Amino acid sequence: MLRTIHLRSDLAFQRCILPECNGTASLDDTRFACPKCEGLMDVAYDWNKLPVPSSMAFFESKWSQRHLPRSFSGVWRFHDLLPFAPPEMVLTIGEGQTLLQRADLVAQYTGLNSGNLFLQYEGMNPSGSFKDNGMTAAFTHARMTGAKRAACASTGNTSASLAAYCSATGLMRGIVFIGSGKISYGKLAQALDHGALTLQIAGDFDDAMQRVQQVSRKLGIYLVNSVNPFRLEGQKTIMYRVLEGLRWEVPDWIVVPGGNLGNSSAFGKAFMELKELGLINKVPRLAVINAAGANTFNLLTGQNQVTWNQGKPDYKTTEKFFHAMDEKNLRASTIASAIEINRPVNLSKALRALEFCNGVVTEVTDQEILDAKAKVGAGGLGCEPASAASVAGARKLTGQGVIAPSERVVCILTGHQLKDPTATVAYHGADQKTFDEVLGVRGVRRAGFANRAVQLPNSLDDIIKAIEVFS
Ligand code: F0G
């Protein structure tokens, strides 16, 4: 049952991202596909009728109101820039308390000058990943439409976030679709602990994604995957917080792992709007980093030269690409299970982001990902493998001269270290067998930055000797 009374359709609505189609849908439409062409939708605003602050510094005043949930939330303190929801509908569990940390040790590893690399650590969210930024926005919209059940397909973090929001708010029943065998235990534990109905289907993420879309439509269940444009509204705020952390100075580069390409799309939209509203005078370049075993975006934008082309992407080439992928039954495979995705649902939005931000795409191997992850850990912040793709990508692009050492770079660390301890322990483990079993099958040959545990007899002398030798 729709509670249209709460919707502000005069100020906000949904609009097809293709300028030539320009199909629209009302704010309460939950199909999340263009009624004319079935393509992706944006949440669009009539900014002329909305109160927009004259400078980003306005948002600093919210820090003095942190006793108010909407000012405390790192998403909703930017409510004026995602004004689709009336204040009383906003559903927050305190997401977005994340930090931007200058990381000189990691800068050295990536080849950047000291002081030029910053890590945006989204692992500090309530469910341990950036997904909560989007989930609070999707849940707010779901509440506006009166939804009682919400579903997602997930490589683990979306399901953890959905499950957490369901249990913390008690407003909806969460249903998660996961592929068989590829989810890390940390994330599976969250979905189970928070009481989501967990459907582990035979297949991978791409299969689960197709199924959840069919099932949601059929049963009228609210879909929270990033094909939902309201989720991406929340994820825009990651960029607002990055700018805030840099005292509103726009960096030269934003580097982000690419899986389903929701973040890349959301970041692009954030900068498109900030530019349109005159709130920034420069747009950063976007670097999207695929894992080599899940490199659709890199292949399409590289070898196949697909671009946004001012709203007319070459869909024939993309269709041919996916057809060939199906014919050969090619499946994504990477240790960075969060981005083990071959059919990114936000492909066209990410192409648009790339064009607007003069972006680049590249891919990094599992070896590069795990080495970068160890360096991030040694630098003081812990992240999961997929997150470290951003740092590995920054290193690769700096090595290639695409990024200059003197440029200011922000890498997004999308998820917490404890999401996937298996990969970490196998990398650092003293035990070669574990290393081979967990990582060797994925082509990882060495743990160059391993911090091995020292095996000792339970003897005071041996313990003292070991400390003296190793410290
Ligand atoms: N990093 C982490 C830790 C993720 O969990 C994901 C996506 C990404 C990066 C990629 O982000 O899809 O916006 O390009 N995880 C999804 C999930 C797919 O189901 O949790 P994206």
Side-chain angles (χ1 to χ4, degrees):
M1 193 58 60
L2 297 185
R3 301 205 293 205
T4 38
I5 192 169
H6 293 295
L7 305 181
R8 304 170 60 179
S9 52
D10 55 325
L11 304 177
F13 55 99
Q14 297 182 62
R15 184 172 57 207
C16 179
I17 68 163
L18 297 177
E20 283 205 342
C21 172
N22 215 19
T24 57
S26 66
L27 205 55
D28 57 349
D29 193 321
T30 56
R31 282 172 306 154
F32 307 137
C34 174
K36 275 163 79 182
C37 75
E38 286 290 311
L40 294 170
M41 301 295 272
D42 269 333
V43 182
Y45 303 102
D46 184 350
W47 293 112
N48 292 325
K49 294 195 192 134
L50 286 158
V52 179
S54 57
S55 101
M56 292 297 276
F58 160 83
F59 295 106
E60 289 170 16
S61 63
K62 306 274 176 169
W63 284 92
S64 63
Q65 305 164 353
R66 286 170 67 78
H67 56 289
L68 305 174
R70 275 185 300 113
S71 295
F72 178 75
S73 165
V75 171
W76 295 105
R77 66 192 161 84
F78 297 101
H79 195 170
D80 304 71
L81 297 175
L82 52 149
F84 67 83
E88 69 277 12
M89 281 286 117
V90 167
L91 223 161
T92 167
I93 64 169
E95 58 289 317
Q97 308 302 312
T98 62
L99 58 83
L100 182 78
Q101 193 173 90
R102 176 177 151 166
D104 285 351
L105 278 175
V106 189
Q108 201 179 1
Y109 177 66
T110 54
L112 291 163
N113 293 348
S114 184
N116 279 10
L117 178 69
F118 294 81
L119 301 176
Q120 174 67 16
Y121 189 47
E122 289 298 314
M124 290 171 73
N125 273 295
S127 81
S129 87
F130 75 91
K131 301 286 179 181
D132 297 347
N133 293 285
M135 205 55 70
T136 183
F139 260 62
T140 295
H141 181 247
R143 179 196 218 179
M144 287 164 64
T145 66
K148 291 282 170 278
R149 291 186 294 186
C152 69
S154 185
T155 54
N157 279 327
T158 307
S159 50
S161 183
L162 168 63
Y165 275 79
C166 284
S167 55
T169 63
L171 281 182
M172 267 164 269
R173 173 80 165 128
I175 305 162
V176 308
F177 287 54
I178 55 177
S180 46
K182 288 295 179 65
I183 187 170
S184 73
Y185 264 25
K187 299 171 192 177
L188 180 60
Q190 289 178 287
L192 299 176
D193 234 8
H194 293 308
L197 171 61
T198 304
L199 306 175
Q200 193 154 24
I201 65 163
D204 62 9
F205 171 81
D206 295 313
D207 298 318
M209 187 70 232
Q210 282 184 339
R211 286 292 179 215
V212 77
Q213 284 177 292
Q214 292 167 339
V215 171
S216 299
R217 278 209 177 177
K218 221 171 177 137
L219 299 182
I221 298 173
Y222 188 89
L223 184 66
V224 300
N225 277 106
S226 55
V227 67
N228 175 335
F230 294 90
R231 225 192 81 184
L232 299 190
E233 289 303 287
Q235 287 172 219
K236 292 190 307 192
T237 66
I238 300 171
M239 289 302 101
Y240 307 151
R241 297 198 300 273
V242 163
L243 296 183
E244 185 178 50
L246 295 173
R247 306 294 302 149
W248 310 113
E249 266 181 45
V250 179
D252 297 302
W253 288 91
I254 300 290
V255 189
V256 63
N260 234 354
L261 301 176
N263 264 340
S264 316
S265 304
F267 298 172
K269 185 168 190 271
F271 291 118
M272 284 162 68
E273 289 173 346
L274 291 183
K275 191 85 201 325
E276 185 192 332
L277 295 171
L279 291 170
I280 52 171
N281 48 23
K282 166 186 158 181
V283 174
R285 297 188 69 185
L286 186 67
V288 183
I289 317 299
N290 272 166
N295 58 355
T296 296
F297 197 44
N298 190 37
L299 290 178
L300 280 175
T301 54
Q303 280 173 22
N304 291 277
Q305 299 185 357
V306 175
T307 64
W308 173 241
N309 190 25
Q310 299 182 337
K312 291 179 217 144
D314 177 4
Y315 285 129
K316 274 205 185 109
T317 301
T318 58
E319 269 166 34
K320 229 168 93 187
F321 178 90
F322 287 122
H323 185 68
M325 187 185 270
D326 288 344
E327 292 247 291
K328 293 183 207 146
N329 196 24
L330 288 180
R331 297 283 163 173
S333 175
T334 167
I335 188 73
S337 57
I339 52 174
E340 195 176 61
I341 296 171
N342 260 352
R343 285 180 177 275
V345 295
N346 288 297
L347 176 63
S348 33
K349 276 188 183 173
L351 289 172
R352 180 178 68 175
L354 214 58
E355 184 168 287
F356 184 76
C357 297
N358 186 21
V360 298
V361 185
T362 194
E363 64 185 58
V364 288
T365 63
D366 284 2
Q367 179 78 60
E368 290 170 309
I369 287 173
L370 289 182
D371 286 343
K373 186 175 113 55
K375 283 293 184 185
V376 170
L381 290 176
C383 69
E384 63 169 288
S387 311
S390 61
V391 172
R395 182 171 193 261
K396 184 170 179 180
L397 292 169
T398 307
Q400 291 172 340
V402 178
I403 299 179
S406 57
E407 289 187 295
R408 209 181 215 194
V409 178
V410 176
C411 288
I412 313 300
L413 296 184
T414 46
H416 200 282
Q417 178 182 41
L418 298 178
K419 289 281 189 172
D420 188 0
T422 315
T424 310
V425 173
Y427 184 89
H428 291 293
D431 171 6
Q432 185 65 37
K433 189 164 163 279
T434 314
F435 179 90
D436 289 342
E437 276 173 8
V438 179
L439 305 180
V441 285
R442 295 181 181 270
V444 177
R445 299 274 166 260
R446 59 178 169 78
F449 308 115
N451 175 26
R452 299 200 189 287
V454 181
Q455 309 282 335
L456 287 177
N458 184 8
S459 116
L460 190 58
D461 282 351
D462 286 312
I463 293 170
I464 288 171
K465 208 186 290 168
I467 291 171
E468 279 172 352
V469 170
F470 292 112
S471 65

